[in-house]
Amino acid sequence: MERTLSIIKPDAVAKGVIGKILDRFESNGLRIAATRKLELSRKDAEAFYAIHSERPFFNDLVDFMTSGPVVVSVLEGEEAMQKNRDLMGATNPQEAAAGTIRADFAENIDANAVHGSDSVENAAIEISFFFADRDIS
Ligand code: CMP
């Protein structure tokens, strides 16, 4: 059994589609092992996305991720990391396949509705950023 981290981003939270997105996970064999709504501080967002700190979009990304509440979840299931990425679709919603979360709920590459860990190793790091072991069941 594998675990991955999902973030429902401020655009999707503001649109009122938290439940619809969580349903995509549960309907496709991903169990929600933990979930929490919170607001990221600037320091949190900069630390979470530190890997992108040299990229030209970093400041816009931090601005966007601190613009409103997010929902962070631990998803669990067989090949959970890849399954979540398949459900999300391409990072740029214009390139996301029909029926994916980003095709259905996202506006553009910044406001792209969801984040998902991009490797099993990063999933463990990202999960521990938000959740203690006792929060996950
Ligand atoms: P996410 O999966 O959360 O990881 C980093 C985010 O940066 C990405 O989704 C996008 O929302 C955002 N971003 C903005 N511009 C780019 C870009 N050119 N390439 C990748 N990610 C980008």
Side-chain angles (χ1 to χ4, degrees):
M1 219 32 90
E2 196 173 282
R3 285 177 177 168
T4 193
L5 184 86
S6 159
I7 304 179
I8 302 178
K9 296 190 180 185
D11 57 321
V13 173
K15 268 188 196 164
V17 294
I18 296 171
K20 286 183 177 163
I21 292 176
L22 293 179
D23 180 58
R24 298 279 175 111
F25 302 143
E26 291 192 312
S27 299
N28 287 280
L30 291 174
R31 211 174 61 77
I32 297 165
T35 193
R36 189 152 61 94
K37 188 178 184 191
L38 57 98
E39 289 199 40
L40 290 170
S41 67
R42 213 167 168 87
K43 208 169 147 198
D44 289 335
E46 285 171 354
F48 183 81
Y49 280 118
I51 196 167
H52 295 304
S53 62
E54 302 305 318
R55 306 286 291 273
F57 57 82
F58 183 65
N59 269 333
D60 287 344
L61 174 62
V62 171
D63 283 347
F64 176 65
M65 292 301 291
T66 56
S67 66
V70 299
V71 174
V72 294
S73 305
V74 178
L75 307 179
E76 189 178 84
E78 262 178 48
E79 301 191 10
M81 185 280 293
Q82 190 57 51
K83 187 175 273 185
N84 180 40
R85 293 186 70 75
D86 293 345
L87 291 173
M88 290 194 300
T91 305
N92 185 345
Q94 263 72 58
E95 294 162 12
T100 59
I101 292 169
R102 284 169 170 156
D104 290 346
F105 302 117
E107 302 306 324
N108 55 58
I109 198 165
D110 295 307
N112 67 348
V114 279
H115 165 83
S117 309
D118 65 0
S119 69
V120 175
E121 294 72 33
N122 282 341
I125 295 166
E126 292 185 356
I127 288 169
S128 65
F129 191 90
F130 290 108
F131 296 100
D133 283 348
R134 68 173 179 281
D135 298 327
I136 307 170
S137 57

